[in-house]
């Protein structure tokens, strides 16, 4: 690691008994794209994902299936591991909260908080009695004022989840004493929550006053046992959030993993779980004497063909099916290109097919096909030798080269769609350049010029493909294979002509199409 910059990025850990859906795929693909981008940019990356396996919801589901909770989670967590491989996710670790390392980390984290004092001098954790509303489905507590009433007086959380009245002894976290410290922390770290609108929501919530948080339960036992009182298990959210430091060998804060990667550079989460990540988590960490993460970015939610995604509507989309039907690159491209990251979006099969065909197949795929086929047919299948560059040539090369810095800036803001648009400007410029220079005419009139034009095009294609690797790793990799770019040269440090440009005379493999057009039968689906 010596002088390499580090980057620690996490997805939320997924509720183990949920069925993987497009929302899970979205968070994971976004993290994967950033992780790949940072690796290509020379960072030492740690990328963590996993499954959230404790809590009342899981215990109930296991009981329903008639098996013990551990056997149940062992079985169902596999779906999420399988999803990471279907999506070709490059996570460096997959954490399960039922692992020994995690239980140890949670118990140490708890003890450190319990031994500490809140900003008002009182102990951070105390034993009390909880009475209030709890939604098992959300694993969250709600106040009376947040609830709505159904036709037969049953009560619901704002998320639509049914709530139940809970009364039991509970350990509490003295969150009420943390208001000032948190507000000061937000002020000192203006990039802590992104996008800004979400940061405003978080600030408003804290400014409105904080209540102590119930941190343990006694009415079920599927959780991490509280070290000083084995009648209690930890509230599933303190258990879940701790996963981010378990994976860095916590409580061993002297370990190289912890020293290299904490505080995390980015927790990427959906907008529904910002309160946990932006209020509770930094308060817990500060209480335990640890630093808070550098940034939490909250993305928006997908509706499906205009409707809220829900089990009862039967419109939950299985990402495995999507990948099988449309191809992984196509799905990744659509999710990252269609909406501004942070905003809500609507998933529609026809929009996916339109983007995949119109942009990936027609614009990038065709460009690659045309250039590689012309080189194969007219240059003995070898990278041609260029003559002197014209202004037009240099303009295209410069545009392709300067796209890297612009992409970096967009990716810093997690603006995936903007990064793609920046690359696409180069793709479009290259397509107009082919039309204008017409190398098929030059073949008969000026062979040297034809070779220069094909060199400029293949070199631009190399840069575009390297930049597209994080977004569409398969297709971009195939383009680089066809340009015979060595694996070690597929990184941003080699993007310039001087550092990693194509070498004239290199023999190229026989061209084959990339980003096939999706067939009509598939277009017709859905
Ligand atoms: N287990 C908790 C996270 C604990 S992290 C310390 C959890 N799990 S979850 O499986 O319910 O959700 C995981 C992620 O999926 C969340 O970031 C959530 O926002 C995201 N999505 C769930 N439905 C979604 C959509 N319809 N659209 C986009 N993302 C959504 O929460």
């Amino acid at each position: 690691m010596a002088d390499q910059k580090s980057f620690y990025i996490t997805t939320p850990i997924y509720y183990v008994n949920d069925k993987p859906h497009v929302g899970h795929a979205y968070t994971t693909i976004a993290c994967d794209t950033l992780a790949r981008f940072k690796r290509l940019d020379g960072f030492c990356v740690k990328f963590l994902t996993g499954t959230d396996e404790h809590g009342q919801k899981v215990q109930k589901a296991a009981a329903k299936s008639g098996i013990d909770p551990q056997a149940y989670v062992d079985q169902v967590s596999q779906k999420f591991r399988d999803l990471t491989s279907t999506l070709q996710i490059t996570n460096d670790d997959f954490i399960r909260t039922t692992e020994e390392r995690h239980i140890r980390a949670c118990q140490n984290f708890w003890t450190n908080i319990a031994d500490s004092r809140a900003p008002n001098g009182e102990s951070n954790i105390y034993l009390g009695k909880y009475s209030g509303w709890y939604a098992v489905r959300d694993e969250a507590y709600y106040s009376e004022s947040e609830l709505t009433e159904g036709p037969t007086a049953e009560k619901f959380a704002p998320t639509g989840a049914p709530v139940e009245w809970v009364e039991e002894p509970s350990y509490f976290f003295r969150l009420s004493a943390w208001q000032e410290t948190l507000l000061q922390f937000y002020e000192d770290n203006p990039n802590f929550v992104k996008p800004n609108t979400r940061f405003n929501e978080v600030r408003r919530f804290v400014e409105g006053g904080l209540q102590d948080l119930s941190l343990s339960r006694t009415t079920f036992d599927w959780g991490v046992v509280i070290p000083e009182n084995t009648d209690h298990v930890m509230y599933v959210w303190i258990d879940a959030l701790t996963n981010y430091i378990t994976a860095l060998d916590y409580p061993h804060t002297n370990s190289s993993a912890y020293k290299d990667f904490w505080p995390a550079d980015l927790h990427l989460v959906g907008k529904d779980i910002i309160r946990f990540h932006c209020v509770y988590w930094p308060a817990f960490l500060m209480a335990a004497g640890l630093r808070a993460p550098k940034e939490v970015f909250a993305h928006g939610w997908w509706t499906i063909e205009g409707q809220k995604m829900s089990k009862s509507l039967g419109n939950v989309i299985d990402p495995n099916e999507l990948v099988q039907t449309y191809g992984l690159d196509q799905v990744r491209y659509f999710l990252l290109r269609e909406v501004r990251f942070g905003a809500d979006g609507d998933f529609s099969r026809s929009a996916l097919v339109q983007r995949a065909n119109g942009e990936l197949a027609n614009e990038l795929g065709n460009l690659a096909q045309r250039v590689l086929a012309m080189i194969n047919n007219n240059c003995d299948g070898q990278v041609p030798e260029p003559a002197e560059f014209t202004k037009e040539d240099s303009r295209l090369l410069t545009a392709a080269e300067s796209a890297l810095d612009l992409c970096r800036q967009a990716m810093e803001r997690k603006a995936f769609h903007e990064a793609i648009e920046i690359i696409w400007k180069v793709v479009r410029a290259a397509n107009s350049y082919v039309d204008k220079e017409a190398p098929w005419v030059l073949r008969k009139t000026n062979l040297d010029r034809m070779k220069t034009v094909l060199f400029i095009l293949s070199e631009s294609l190399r840069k575009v493909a390297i930049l597209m690797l994080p977004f569409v790793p398969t297709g971009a990799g195939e383009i680089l294979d066809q340009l015979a770019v060595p694996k070690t040269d597929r990184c941003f440090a080699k993007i310039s002509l001087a550092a990693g440009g194509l070498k004239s005379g290199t023999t190229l493999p026989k061209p084959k199409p990339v980003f096939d057009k999706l067939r009509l039968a598939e277009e017709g689906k859905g």
Side-chain angles (χ1 to χ4, degrees):
M1 262 285 295
D3 35 52
Q4 211 182 357
K5 289 167 291 176
S6 67
F7 188 75
Y8 181 32
I9 180 171
T10 66
T11 72
I13 45 172
Y14 301 109
Y15 285 133
V16 75
N17 53 328
D18 284 358
K19 227 173 120 214
H21 56 60
V22 80
H24 302 124
Y26 186 47
T27 320
T28 314
I29 288 172
C31 278
D32 182 60
T33 305
L34 264 171
R36 287 176 188 260
F37 191 91
K38 288 287 183 182
R39 286 192 200 102
L40 289 171
D41 213 7
F43 284 73
C44 177
V45 173
K46 182 165 175 88
F47 167 18
L48 176 70
T49 187
T51 41
D52 188 352
E53 306 190 355
H54 285 130
Q56 201 170 357
K57 193 161 62 166
V58 175
Q59 187 158 0
K60 283 190 171 177
K64 212 169 143 199
S65 312
I67 49 174
D68 108 326
Q70 187 63 53
Y72 174 77
V73 294
D74 287 347
Q75 217 175 70
V76 292
S77 73
Q78 192 56 37
K79 293 172 304 200
F80 283 95
R81 263 187 206 272
D82 292 346
L83 183 66
T84 56
S85 60
T86 306
L87 300 175
Q88 291 179 23
I89 299 305
T90 58
N91 53 303
D92 301 285
D93 194 355
F94 187 100
I95 192 163
R96 295 183 53 193
T97 54
T98 49
E99 288 172 84
E100 202 38 56
R101 60 172 172 161
H102 181 66
I103 292 163
R104 191 174 52 234
C106 281
Q107 290 178 331
N108 275 279
F109 192 51
W110 176 281
T111 305
N112 285 338
I113 298 176
D115 288 347
S116 69
R117 300 264 148 199
N120 66 355
E122 296 185 279
S123 63
N124 263 317
I125 289 184
Y126 63 93
L127 185 59
K129 186 173 158 226
Y130 181 78
S131 48
W133 297 102
Y134 190 75
V136 178
R137 201 176 88 192
D138 300 344
E139 297 284 18
Y141 301 96
Y142 291 99
S143 63
E144 183 82 40
S145 61
E146 290 178 283
L147 306 179
T148 49
E149 211 167 279
T152 49
E154 67 277 41
K155 291 189 188 281
F156 295 96
T159 54
V163 292
E164 56 191 53
W165 185 256
V166 179
E167 260 187 49
E168 56 183 319
S170 176
Y171 285 94
F172 282 82
F173 177 69
R174 206 175 299 278
L175 189 64
S176 56
W178 283 88
Q179 185 188 32
E180 286 309 313
T181 312
L182 279 171
L183 291 173
Q184 189 59 49
F185 170 74
Y186 300 152
E187 193 158 328
D188 297 342
N189 296 277
N191 294 320
F192 177 56
V193 186
K194 291 280 174 184
N196 288 334
T197 48
R198 300 279 169 228
F199 206 171
N200 293 338
E201 280 170 28
V202 168
R203 271 200 212 92
R204 272 201 300 276
F205 174 73
V206 175
E207 281 161 3
L210 296 169
Q211 294 191 349
D212 291 350
L213 182 69
S214 168
L215 221 49
S216 73
R217 306 286 310 269
T218 54
T219 46
F220 65 94
D221 60 7
W222 185 239
V224 180
V225 167
I226 304 293
E228 72 259 32
N229 186 342
T230 52
D231 290 343
H232 289 247
V233 291
M234 280 180 209
Y235 172 39
V236 69
W237 268 99
I238 182 172
D239 163 351
L241 288 160
T242 306
N243 94 86
Y244 300 132
I245 50 175
T246 301
L248 302 181
D249 296 343
Y250 183 82
H252 304 294
T253 48
N254 267 330
S255 68
S256 60
Y258 192 90
K259 286 201 292 208
D260 289 344
F261 292 112
W262 195 257
D265 293 274
L266 181 63
H267 292 320
L268 216 152
V269 302
K271 64 179 182 181
D272 53 322
I273 53 177
I274 43 174
R275 193 177 294 179
F276 300 99
H277 283 83
C278 306
V279 181
Y280 304 162
W281 183 223
F284 294 158
L285 285 164
M286 289 193 259
L290 305 177
R291 292 174 67 189
K294 292 182 198 160
E295 181 180 342
V296 178
F297 191 105
H299 66 68
W301 269 43
W302 288 93
T303 49
I304 309 294
E305 315 276 353
Q307 283 184 311
K308 196 168 172 245
M309 180 166 68
S310 87
K311 263 193 224 154
S312 48
L313 287 175
N315 63 353
V316 178
I317 294 187
D318 173 6
N320 296 291
E321 178 267 317
L322 277 187
V323 168
Q324 213 168 20
T325 309
Y326 303 106
L328 176 58
D329 279 346
Q330 286 74 1
V331 171
R332 289 177 69 112
Y333 182 80
F334 173 77
L335 292 176
L336 298 173
R337 177 71 187 86
E338 183 71 1
V339 293
R340 165 178 293 279
F341 201 63
D344 293 336
D346 184 47
F347 180 91
S348 102
R349 288 174 188 267
S350 62
L352 188 159
V353 171
Q354 216 172 338
R355 285 229 179 252
N357 282 352
E359 295 168 22
L360 281 182
N362 286 354
E363 294 184 305
L364 179 54
N366 257 354
L367 173 70
Q369 176 71 10
R370 281 163 105 183
V371 173
L372 291 161
M374 279 188 283
I375 292 179
N376 183 61
N377 296 338
N378 305 304
C379 309
D380 295 330
Q382 293 182 350
V383 176
E385 176 84 43
E388 215 168 298
F389 295 163
T390 64
K391 247 213 225 121
E392 293 291 293
D393 301 344
S394 304
R395 189 174 304 147
L396 182 57
L397 278 186
T398 312
E401 214 151 296
S402 48
L404 170 59
D405 246 346
L406 298 173
C407 279
R408 268 198 196 107
Q409 290 164 30
M411 294 298 269
E412 221 34 68
R413 290 179 282 115
K414 286 87 201 167
F416 300 98
H417 72 297
E418 269 180 44
I420 295 176
E421 185 53 40
I422 288 159
I423 303 166
W424 237 253
K425 281 206 176 109
V426 180
V427 173
R428 294 196 182 114
N431 274 319
S432 334
Y433 174 91
V434 189
D435 293 340
K436 192 156 160 273
E437 298 290 336
W440 52 91
V441 177
L442 294 170
R443 185 165 64 101
K444 296 178 207 130
T445 57
N446 185 345
L447 263 187
D448 278 351
R449 180 65 197 146
M450 178 202 76
K451 286 184 186 162
T452 309
V453 167
L454 290 178
F455 178 85
I456 296 289
L457 282 166
S458 48
E459 178 58 15
S460 306
L461 196 56
R462 181 186 70 88
K463 298 182 204 296
V464 163
I466 291 180
L467 289 172
M468 283 306 286
L469 274 172
F471 303 93
V472 286
T474 311
E478 280 169 13
I479 295 177
L480 293 168
D481 289 344
Q482 298 193 51
L483 289 167
V485 176
K487 291 260 179 335
T488 47
D489 283 3
R490 299 178 186 188
C491 60
F492 297 157
K494 298 279 180 168
I495 212 149
S496 70
L497 181 62
L502 293 170
K503 306 268 171 304
S504 306
T506 307
T507 303
L508 303 184
K510 267 234 159 322
K512 57 177 186 349
V514 280
F515 304 121
D516 286 341
K517 264 205 164 181
L518 296 173
R519 290 197 313 274
L520 274 177
E522 287 153 1
E523 274 185 81
K525 234 180 141 167

